[in-house]
Amino acid sequence: MLKVNNLTISFTGREGIIRAVDNVDFSVVAGSTTAIIGESGSGKSVSCYGLLGLIPQPPGQIESGSALFLANDLLQLDKHALRKIRGRDIAMVFQDPMTCLNPYMRVGAQLMEPLRYHRGASRSEAKRQALDLMAEVGIREPAITINYYPHQFSGGMRQRVMIAMALINEPRLLIADEPTTALDVTVQAQILKLLCDIQAKRDIGILIISHDLAVVADIADQIIVMQEGKVVERGDRATIFRRPQHPYTRKLLASIPKGQKAPSPISPNPLVSVKKLCTWFKQHNETVKAVDDVSFDVYRGEVLGLVGESGSGKSTLGRSLLNLVPATSGQILFDGQDVIALAAGDLKSLRRRMQIIFQDPFASLNPRMTVYDTLAEPLLLHKLETRSSVAERVLQIMDEVGLARHFVRKYPHEFSGGQRQRIAIGRALATRPEFIVADEAVSALDVTIQAQILELMQTLAQEHGLTMLFISHDLAVIRQLADRIVVLHNGKIVEQADTTTLFEHPKRDYTRQLLEAIPGKSLL
Amino acid sequence: MSTVPVHTLADAEIGSSLWRDAWLRLRRNRLALAGFAVLALFILVAILTPWIAPYDYAQQNLDLGAAPPSADHWLGTDIFGRDLLTQIMYGGRISLAVGFIATAVALIIGVGWGAIAGYAGGRADAVMMRLVDILYALPFMIFIVLLMVVFGRNLLLLFLAIGAVEWLTMARIMRAQVQSLRQQEFVEAAVSLGLSPLVIIWRHVIPNALGPIIVYTTLTIPSVMLLEAFLSFLGLGVQPPETSWGLLISFGAETMEEYPWLLFFPGLVLALTLFALNFLGDGLRDALDVRGAKD
């Protein structure tokens, strides 16, 4: 149905001409799903946007290639004709549904608008069709929710609305760019299933773009692996997963978190003991119980996994432990001292012993401080080094986290995401803390980088005898790292058990749901 | 940045890297350098005026009257026969001093106030910003007139009075910046390292909020100069025979049709100062943004 040949797209930038897409071929067959896999910067999105005339030219330029879609070459069509096809026969679903919906317009009106103006449907007819579509994509009680504004939906429901909008004109091809990346795992599983159902029912072709092999493991028929603008491997799903040929594909497969940490001996005395912790916020005169009556222990030397979906309160909990967010009530005993009740002076010396690593390495480093300044700051603050000895220690830390020494005077924006996360880890470890909270520390990274950082964290945790609270939405990652797991849902602990028990004998339904939603279970 | 291998830090200057790098970047921006040079020249001339001015600024020559530029009087003379170049040089002393000192007052109070309010948040923020709102609501001319009436006409007081009005907007801009920065994870990371709030504001917050502040500062300096002209015109600022660029321009505007040079030359120096400030301001903003073009 769609056949792309020899597509080459280049961008002219400050550093000269960059070939973002280099001689790429792929095709999509009606009723089947083709997945393009690659890490950020691999050209996977550019190649699809290029087909639809959605890359700005200049700086972009389509150098060569053809894209046959229903007997038309998309690359030869003029703007007007292309726009027609884009609206009618090819539809797109993007990563972040919030930015694609008009926040001031009711969802129903946004669905009805194209029906009325492009297809000339009457008001009642458009409404009936909109209701049908909403029901088809699994939105509950469409008769009521048709009058909702986008913000009244959850992320998953908004993505369903986006899919409904994409289906309005009965497209033949659906292009989904990272459609589930912004969603929780359980919701991700539902959306992927929805796409499969729609495909089976309407016999459309789906082109899915993703950075995550595990996500497409269950739905893709054909898989194309891209690296640095080139297709390095293509094949059907079974071949790619069972007999990958190219070393890069093997590396991607090896990076999918799997396996389980060997249980390590745990000392019986807790380093951190949380008792009946509550962290509540006042919001528009409503009390939001972000963390509600939570009690657990973190034992010396263990990695405790804290898993939960967005809104479960897991990040608030992690921040409360370090007193970054004031707790409402309860106790946090760190080595016997109550963190909440401490005076500012005592808190400062305690802060040396507990540190945090954040999710977004782009936001967690001061953009105007060099690596040197970032790493030297905690050392000087806690008087661990003098002005004359600090430089040597900074370089040692860089060695430890695997950053080349000549980067010492560079600013954060000059690094990749993985390198920045190494800086953040270095800063957290600089004071030689005993306890680390890692809040989604690898979630923002590409899979291969994620695997490297996880390995680094594991090594460092062992070397330094660290105790860690590892917060993540991703059970597969947690399984790889954690000795025990706490499951958090709506601010309350649903279940806590050691890793093996939790995976093999989950007690609660919610835990079971989470386990079932792990993408690419067949690979584990 | 060079990729010379660094094994010790002996070759890397430490602690002031942001400012040093900013200076290196600024030096590469020709327009900003030109602006800097023009401002430096004007300031130097202003300082040296009592020694280098060709005439006495109060010396009248009623026989000569308003004369166009000539070999004796390069920029001509005003209606009392006073040398215009001398007037502009002496006027520059007042105008530049008002512009820079009043803006510095506004900058220090505004940035400090806004940063603390924005970082503290909650009740402290509410109280501090309501105070700003109240001061905003006061008609500031009345405020300045009152100050002048109570304390007498005093140049230093004029600087302070204008600065005390101009800091309000500065505080609001700063607060908005800080509020968004406070949510950033690197500020949280600084808290978790155990840094005190004042150090966090100074090292992590203010450097990241400088861009809009610098641009607003370069806009404030000329507007303060014009404000001074307005006050002087009302008789609340400097009085003849002392003068300022603003006063020269307003007198020049009155006689524009007969003696155009009386408007043209004071206007030209003010415009040059404005351009210089703008280019320097843009240059500074880019230089302080480490994400900007590097080598």
Side-chain angles (χ1 to χ4, degrees):
Chain A
M1 182 169 60
L2 173 71
K3 190 155 176 44
V4 177
N5 284 318
N6 301 326
L7 182 66
T8 300
I9 301 175
S10 62
F11 285 90
T12 312
R14 201 177 286 150
E15 293 88 27
I17 295 173
I18 298 163
R19 230 172 231 181
V21 177
D22 194 357
N23 222 354
V24 166
D25 310 283
F26 60 88
S27 58
V28 185
V29 180
S32 84
T33 301
T34 300
I36 302 184
I37 298 294
E39 295 185 277
S40 42
S42 62
K44 58 188 191 301
S45 295
V46 175
S47 48
C48 293
Y49 288 16
L51 298 183
L52 299 179
L54 289 178
I55 52 171
Q57 308 185 26
Q61 200 204 336
I62 297 175
E63 290 190 354
S64 69
S66 64
L68 291 175
F69 176 72
L70 304 174
N72 285 317
D73 185 351
L74 294 178
L75 301 180
Q76 303 301 329
L77 289 176
D78 63 50
K79 264 187 190 165
H80 190 71
L82 192 60
R83 198 161 63 212
K84 254 190 169 161
I85 289 191
R86 206 157 63 206
R88 197 184 52 213
D89 299 319
I90 303 180
M92 286 202 75
V93 177
F94 297 93
Q95 176 175 346
D96 185 0
M98 196 64 207
T99 55
C100 302
L101 292 168
N102 181 345
Y104 290 101
M105 230 170 128
R106 292 176 200 278
V107 162
Q110 294 188 55
L111 281 169
M112 282 154 64
E113 197 177 50
L115 285 168
R116 292 192 62 194
Y117 294 103
H118 293 303
R119 326 197 98 203
S122 69
R123 209 184 149 71
S124 56
E125 172 64 16
K127 186 165 180 186
R128 197 186 55 74
Q129 286 189 20
L131 288 171
D132 285 351
L133 275 170
M134 287 174 80
E136 184 182 346
V137 297
I139 295 172
R140 266 164 304 202
E141 303 185 60
I144 297 168
T145 50
I146 195 168
N147 288 320
Y148 277 14
Y149 288 97
H151 74 268
Q152 291 171 288
F153 286 95
S154 65
M157 283 297 145
R158 276 199 292 267
Q159 195 59 288
R160 284 172 196 265
V161 172
M162 282 305 297
I163 293 172
M165 290 186 88
L167 294 178
I168 284 176
N169 282 318
E170 299 179 1
R172 312 284 298 275
L173 175 66
L174 189 65
I175 298 181
D177 185 5
E178 304 268 7
T180 60
T181 306
L183 304 175
D184 280 325
V185 267
T186 51
V187 182
Q188 166 170 296
Q190 293 162 11
I191 295 286
L192 292 174
K193 184 167 178 306
L194 173 68
L195 287 175
C196 285
D197 291 348
I198 288 171
Q199 180 174 53
K201 202 167 133 205
R202 297 184 169 226
D203 196 35
I204 56 178
I206 292 182
L207 180 61
I208 188 166
I209 305 170
S210 178
H211 68 283
D212 193 346
L213 257 177
V215 166
V216 302
D218 302 325
I219 63 164
D221 300 302
Q222 287 286 319
I223 294 176
I224 287 150
V225 182
M226 282 185 74
Q227 184 192 18
E228 290 169 7
K230 293 192 174 73
V231 173
V232 296
E233 187 161 3
R234 67 181 71 235
D236 57 45
R237 172 173 47 176
T239 320
I240 294 277
F241 282 106
R242 302 266 152 66
R243 290 185 301 279
Q245 300 296 320
H246 195 275
Y248 182 69
T249 315
R250 289 201 200 120
K251 192 173 154 198
L252 278 180
L253 278 169
S255 302
I256 297 175
K258 50 184 165 276
Q260 189 180 331
K261 186 187 180 189
S264 54
I266 291 167
S267 80
N269 53 327
L271 176 65
V272 181
S273 188
V274 178
K275 297 196 164 92
K276 292 187 179 302
L277 181 72
C278 295
T279 306
W280 296 352
F281 301 107
K282 275 243 157 38
Q283 216 169 45
H284 310 299
N285 296 324
E286 260 177 78
T287 307
V288 179
K289 298 182 176 180
V291 177
D292 193 15
D293 195 16
V294 163
S295 304
F296 62 91
D297 291 327
V298 191
Y299 296 99
R300 247 175 233 281
E302 80 166 340
V303 176
L304 180 66
L306 178 63
V307 72
E309 297 186 287
S310 53
S312 63
K314 58 187 192 304
S315 286
T316 309
L317 177 56
R319 284 164 161 81
S320 292
L321 291 192
L322 302 189
N323 211 349
L324 294 176
V325 173
T328 312
S329 66
Q331 267 191 325
I332 300 161
L333 297 176
F334 181 86
D335 206 9
Q337 286 175 289
D338 189 348
V339 178
I340 299 173
L342 276 183
D346 295 329
L347 189 60
K348 182 180 162 190
S349 65
L350 209 58
R351 289 217 182 278
R352 188 190 68 74
R353 301 169 60 190
M354 41 205 263
Q355 283 299 315
I356 183 163
I357 301 167
F358 294 97
Q359 168 175 5
D360 183 359
F362 291 81
S364 66
L365 297 172
N366 184 338
R368 294 185 192 236
M369 279 167 78
T370 57
V371 177
Y372 177 84
D373 289 328
T374 300
L375 294 179
E377 185 168 53
L379 296 168
L380 295 172
L381 174 74
H382 292 287
K383 302 200 166 54
L384 300 174
E385 301 288 337
T386 62
R387 287 224 162 254
S388 53
S389 68
V390 71
E392 193 47 42
R393 179 82 189 101
V394 165
L395 294 177
Q396 272 174 21
I397 294 170
M398 292 181 72
D399 293 344
E400 253 182 342
V401 296
L403 280 169
R405 285 183 166 206
H406 65 257
F407 289 150
V408 69
R409 291 262 292 132
K410 295 209 173 217
Y411 290 97
H413 74 275
E414 297 172 82
F415 293 98
S416 67
Q419 287 172 320
R420 289 184 201 210
Q421 202 59 304
R422 286 173 195 267
I423 303 171
I425 292 171
R427 173 179 58 191
L429 292 177
T431 58
R432 299 209 174 283
E434 294 148 64
F435 179 55
I436 293 243
V437 174
D439 186 2
E440 298 272 14
V442 296
S443 307
L445 306 172
D446 277 330
V447 265
T448 54
I449 311 292
Q450 173 175 324
Q452 290 169 12
I453 297 288
L454 279 176
E455 201 184 300
L456 173 72
M457 288 174 69
Q458 254 167 330
T459 317
L460 290 172
Q462 270 166 13
E463 276 174 17
H464 295 271
L466 286 175
T467 308
M468 201 187 306
L469 179 69
F470 190 89
I471 303 173
S472 179
H473 68 284
D474 190 340
L475 262 171
V477 168
I478 285 198
R479 184 185 202 181
Q480 206 183 352
L481 214 70
D483 300 293
R484 288 189 309 128
I485 295 176
V486 171
V487 181
L488 204 64
H489 184 48
N490 289 338
K492 288 182 187 294
I493 292 182
V494 175
E495 185 163 357
Q496 52 178 318
D498 63 77
T499 307
T500 317
T501 317
L502 192 95
F503 270 80
E504 281 165 20
H505 310 288
K507 286 204 193 75
R508 301 300 181 91
D509 287 342
Y510 180 70
T511 314
R512 250 170 250 138
Q513 268 180 38
L514 280 181
L515 289 172
E516 261 161 42
I518 297 177
K521 287 184 298 293
S522 49
L523 305 171
L524 293 179
Chain B
M1 186 85 36
S2 67
T3 47
V4 177
V6 178
H7 295 293
T8 65
L9 275 168
D11 51 340
E13 185 66 31
I14 290 152
S16 64
S17 48
L18 173 66
W19 302 104
R20 206 185 69 135
D21 289 353
W23 171 237
L24 290 177
R25 271 194 295 276
L26 188 67
R27 272 204 326 215
R28 253 177 268 147
N29 184 336
R30 285 208 189 138
L31 270 181
L33 272 193
F36 184 72
V38 168
L39 281 180
L41 177 73
F42 281 6
I43 290 170
L44 192 71
V45 169
I47 291 169
L48 297 178
T49 291
W51 296 280
I52 61 169
Y55 295 90
D56 178 5
Y57 70 95
Q59 182 194 324
Q60 299 186 353
N61 185 347
L62 292 173
D63 294 338
L64 185 63
S70 64
D72 285 341
H73 299 280
W74 290 354
L75 303 185
T77 56
D78 71 0
I79 49 173
F80 300 113
R82 291 177 296 196
D83 180 56
L84 188 57
L85 177 61
T86 310
Q87 298 251 12
I88 288 176
M89 285 165 80
Y90 274 98
R93 283 165 72 85
I94 305 280
S95 285
L96 290 171
V98 170
F100 284 98
I101 295 175
T103 305
V105 170
L107 194 66
I108 291 165
I109 303 178
V111 167
W113 192 272
I116 290 169
Y119 188 80
R123 197 156 294 168
D125 177 40
V127 171
M128 289 173 84
M129 292 322 283
R130 282 311 77 71
L131 193 76
V132 169
D133 291 346
I134 290 168
L135 289 178
Y136 248 122
L138 287 180
F140 89 99
M141 277 319 297
I142 294 182
F143 174 67
I144 289 181
V145 170
L146 267 180
L147 272 180
M148 293 293 163
V149 170
V150 174
F151 294 102
R153 214 168 46 75
N154 174 336
L155 217 49
L156 191 67
L157 200 64
L158 183 73
F159 298 160
L160 291 179
I162 296 177
V165 169
E166 293 286 332
W167 72 270
L168 298 170
T169 314
M170 204 76 93
R172 282 196 169 173
I173 295 175
M174 191 64 193
R175 171 172 170 271
Q177 288 283 310
V178 172
Q179 275 189 324
S180 70
L181 284 170
R182 197 170 59 123
Q183 311 291 333
Q184 300 260 349
E185 284 178 345
F186 70 81
V187 174
E188 264 188 295
V191 175
S192 87
L193 287 177
L195 292 170
S196 71
L198 281 178
V199 176
I200 293 175
I201 290 177
W202 179 246
R203 296 193 56 174
H204 293 272
V205 174
I206 289 182
N208 286 293
L210 278 180
I213 291 296
I214 286 174
V215 172
Y216 186 71
T217 302
T218 56
L219 293 176
T220 301
I221 293 176
S223 86
V224 162
M225 289 180 178
L226 294 176
L227 191 60
E228 176 275 329
F230 179 53
L231 290 174
S232 299
F233 192 68
L234 291 182
L236 294 166
V238 295
Q239 289 300 306
E242 284 184 350
T243 190
S244 68
W245 290 346
L247 265 184
L248 287 173
I249 289 172
S250 64
F251 288 139
E254 288 171 23
T255 57
M256 176 170 72
E257 282 164 19
E258 296 137 279
Y259 318 119
W261 60 91
L262 290 184
L263 177 62
F264 178 74
F265 290 112
L268 184 69
V269 284
L270 187 66
L272 277 178
T273 312
L274 278 173
F275 275 122
L277 275 168
N278 264 322
F279 289 139
L280 181 63
D282 284 354
L284 269 178
R285 185 197 54 201
D286 293 344
L288 281 168
D289 185 357
V290 292
R291 283 157 295 197
K294 296 204 105 189
D295 40 358

